[in-house]
Amino acid sequence: MTVWLARWLGPLLLVSLWGLSAPASLLRRLGEHIQQFQESSAQGLGLSLGPGAAALPKVGWLEQLLDPFNVSDRRSFLQRYWVNEQHWVGEDGPIFLHLGGEGSLGPGSVMRGHPAALAPAWGALVISLEHRFYGLSIPAGGLEMAQLRFLSSRHALADVVSARLALSRLFNISSSSPWICFGGSYAGSLAAWARLKFPHLIFASVASSAPVRAVLDFSEYNDVVSRSLMSTAIGGSLECRAAVSAAFAEVERRLRLGGAAQAALRSELSACGTLGSAENQAELLGALQALVGGAVQYDGQAGAPLSVRQLCGLLLGGGGNRSHSTPYCGLRRAVQIVLHSLGQKCLSFSRAETVAQLRSTEPQLSGVGDRQWLYQTCTEFGFWDTDPWHVLSVTQALGSSESALLIRTGSHCLDMAPERPSDSPSLRLGRQNIFQQLQTWLKLAKESQVKGEV
Ligand SMILES: *[C@@H]1O[C@H](CO)[C@@H](O)[C@H](O)[C@H]1NC(C)=O
Ligand SMILES: *[C@@H]1O[C@H](CO)[C@@H](O)[C@H](O)[C@H]1NC(C)=O
Ligand SMILES: *[C@@H]1O[C@H](CO)[C@@H](O)[C@H](O)[C@H]1NC(C)=O
């Protein structure tokens, strides 16, 4: 048997983008919408499928321990994974393990996006692993509090380790095949931590937009949004940021006026609940903040309802209604566009409705898991955007084997998305850098295989 010796310190690539995600629900709806759009895009699946059904991604289930830290607890659950064997050369070919985060994973997770796009170059096997307690990987007992204590990044990392071992046996993967973890956002943090904690199992990781630092009061999120609204490279300007401030000031003014002004505001901005209470007003303002933050966080991504350029155009009176338009009118139109895109009737709900929804222990089988993610942010990470993510990422190299990459015009996890003709030069360059870094590492892996056999 070939013994593969990992003699170097952890190769790890931390990719940070000029944008970030917050627990606010509208922002998560936007993320879900964009992910579904990208995963279901016929163009991408068509490209990868080619003739023959053998190329179809396969789904599988791993039996995992519910509590991997308690030897006397033998309860288990089924964890979903997807496999794309289309490019795999077998033998010593690398394994690209795409980690899931706080949402369900579909077949697109192994067919589209960066890990899948990189696979042909090295003949890699692409596997994705759904995070425990999300999608269909929810243990019996659902989302009750008693069960949620088995939900944490530590549990997720234990799953990565046992999945890595079980899948090696299942697919007869050679012990000299290097395993490379990929992940975006929270899953990017998991990818980085997996490499740091288990260097004997994970050869390298590419962590995209990974907020690896936990923080309670995450006011920097809005600082990044504000800077992005001024960035001319993505269609922002000083005037645009001023227009956003003016629109929010107008919303607050109308909220304070109460009475008819407040009732008009409710219908104009499509708030579901009445706006009499401070709590419901906070829900509306939070949703508007997520709308603007979402334009920055998902700027330029396929399926995003509004880019920064479009948002700025609306707020600065574009759209052929220049004479009558105010920033507030532009914000109204932005709200309509986003609601139409998401197929949603309301922008914000009452606080009572929001809380009732979070209390529901009924699992959502697809999309984001709001209750679970709120639990994780409460118990582990914070990320309360009191007021984007790269401020919590590592944006400078930590040594020769831990590289970092900041893509200035890229939004949250954009490097993980499928390539598009409209991709900016800095994004293309960023992807190229990731490719070259992997090239270097995989060469290193090959050399060490040769040495290991001696
Ligand atoms: C470990 O599991 C056993 C059996 O389910 C249980 O009785 C015990 O309380 C668990 N210990 C902890 C620390 O959870
Ligand atoms: C597993 O792979 C090895 C080479 O890596 C091969 O010799 C062996 O026959 C394979 N076993 C099965 C069951 O495919
Ligand atoms: C122009 O903007 C005003 C104010 O928002 C609105 O009432 C009007 O319907 C708009 N006209 C057109 C043609 O969109």
Side-chain angles (χ1 to χ4, degrees):
M1 194 177 74
T2 310
V3 181
W4 175 62
L5 301 168
R7 274 190 228 116
W8 48 88
L9 289 169
L12 185 58
L13 180 57
L14 297 143
V15 186
S16 301
L17 296 107
W18 196 247
L20 297 178
S21 96
S25 143
L26 182 73
L27 205 50
R28 294 172 53 65
R29 290 283 93 72
L30 281 169
E32 178 182 62
H33 174 78
I34 288 162
Q35 191 193 344
Q36 282 169 1
F37 182 92
Q38 293 182 355
E39 285 196 356
S40 66
S41 158
Q43 183 206 356
L45 282 174
L47 271 179
S48 319
L49 278 179
L56 281 171
K58 291 180 189 149
V59 66
W61 300 88
L62 291 172
E63 191 176 355
Q64 297 276 29
L65 286 171
L66 181 65
D67 188 349
F69 309 117
N70 180 354
V71 285
S72 40
D73 190 342
R74 303 310 299 167
R75 285 176 298 167
S76 63
F77 72 98
L78 292 178
Q79 183 170 31
R80 178 163 63 169
Y81 65 90
W82 295 94
V83 183
N84 173 359
E85 292 179 279
Q86 187 174 8
H87 310 290
W88 197 30
V89 291
E91 296 182 357
D92 298 336
I95 316 299
F96 290 173
L97 183 61
H98 182 179
L99 301 183
E102 69 278 22
S104 65
L105 277 191
S109 56
V110 290
M111 300 301 282
R112 292 175 48 74
H114 207 212
L118 289 169
W122 293 291
L125 178 66
V126 187
I127 305 178
S128 68
L129 187 65
E130 191 167 68
H131 195 293
R132 60 163 61 204
F133 284 93
Y134 294 95
L136 294 185
S137 303
I138 298 182
L143 306 178
E144 299 289 345
M145 282 307 287
Q147 290 294 103
L148 288 182
R149 69 193 177 87
F150 303 110
L151 167 62
S152 74
S153 56
R154 290 184 315 120
H155 289 88
L157 288 171
D159 292 340
V160 170
V161 168
S162 52
R164 153 81 171 80
L165 300 173
L167 291 167
S168 291
R169 283 192 299 274
L170 217 59
F171 288 86
N172 190 26
I173 292 168
S174 154
S175 58
S176 46
S177 282
W179 284 66
I180 300 190
C181 280
F182 288 78
S185 198
Y186 161 54
S189 303
L190 290 177
W193 294 329
R195 165 62 210 177
L196 292 172
K197 289 184 76 153
F198 313 108
H200 57 302
L201 296 175
I202 307 299
F203 176 75
S205 281
V206 180
S208 171
S209 297
V212 288
R213 291 188 290 129
V215 63
L216 189 61
D217 178 353
F218 188 16
S219 54
E220 294 101 326
Y221 184 90
N222 279 348
D223 296 343
V224 175
V225 170
S226 168
R227 280 202 296 276
S228 301
L229 290 173
M230 293 188 288
S231 162
T232 50
I234 54 172
S237 61
L238 277 173
E239 293 77 23
C240 177
R241 202 195 61 165
V244 172
S245 294
F248 274 75
E250 180 61 18
V251 172
E252 286 174 23
R253 192 182 71 84
R254 293 179 189 221
L255 282 175
R256 275 195 307 272
L257 281 176
Q262 206 179 70
L265 184 78
R266 178 186 170 188
S267 89
E268 286 169 2
L269 296 182
S270 306
C272 263
T274 57
L275 296 174
S277 75
E279 285 182 337
N280 290 356
Q281 295 183 5
E283 292 286 318
L284 173 66
L285 289 169
L288 289 172
Q289 181 216 359
L291 182 141
V292 174
V296 169
Q297 178 159 329
Y298 299 112
D299 182 58
Q301 307 208 10
L306 272 183
S307 65
V308 168
R309 190 178 300 280
Q310 287 162 331
L311 179 72
C312 289
L314 289 173
L315 266 76
L316 291 171
N321 197 357
R322 199 168 280 272
S323 51
H324 302 293
S325 199
T326 62
Y328 173 74
C329 290
L331 186 64
R332 275 178 61 184
R333 282 198 292 279
V335 167
Q336 284 155 15
I337 289 169
V338 168
L339 289 183
H340 179 77
S341 246
L342 297 182
Q344 240 173 249
K345 199 159 96 336
C346 306
L347 181 71
S348 70
F349 298 87
S350 68
R351 176 66 56 86
E353 283 169 299
T354 304
V355 170
Q357 189 211 333
L358 288 168
R359 274 186 197 280
S360 164
T361 55
E362 198 63 39
Q364 302 153 273
L365 300 184
S366 70
V368 293
D370 287 322
R371 176 177 166 83
Q372 304 95 299
W373 183 240
L374 181 66
Y375 177 86
Q376 282 201 271
T377 51
C378 282
T379 52
E380 290 197 274
F381 303 121
F383 299 150
W384 305 109
D385 58 335
T386 54
D387 104 60
W389 295 105
H390 76 266
V391 287
L392 302 182
S393 288
V394 175
T395 54
Q396 290 190 332
L398 300 175
S400 58
S401 61
E402 290 177 25
S403 335
L405 182 64
L406 176 67
I407 303 175
R408 293 219 166 254
T409 60
S411 54
H412 196 52
C413 300
L414 187 54
D415 59 307
M416 296 283 287
E419 287 175 23
R420 291 194 303 160
S422 57
D423 288 340
S424 72
S426 71
L427 177 59
R428 282 171 206 277
L429 192 68
R431 287 212 185 98
Q432 226 168 52
N433 285 341
I434 296 172
F435 181 89
Q436 276 155 6
Q437 183 69 75
L438 283 172
Q439 188 96 297
T440 310
W441 288 342
L442 288 169
K443 201 162 151 265
L444 211 62
K446 263 271 177 289
E447 284 165 14
S448 104
Q449 280 161 18
V450 175
K451 283 193 203 124
E453 278 166 3
V454 173

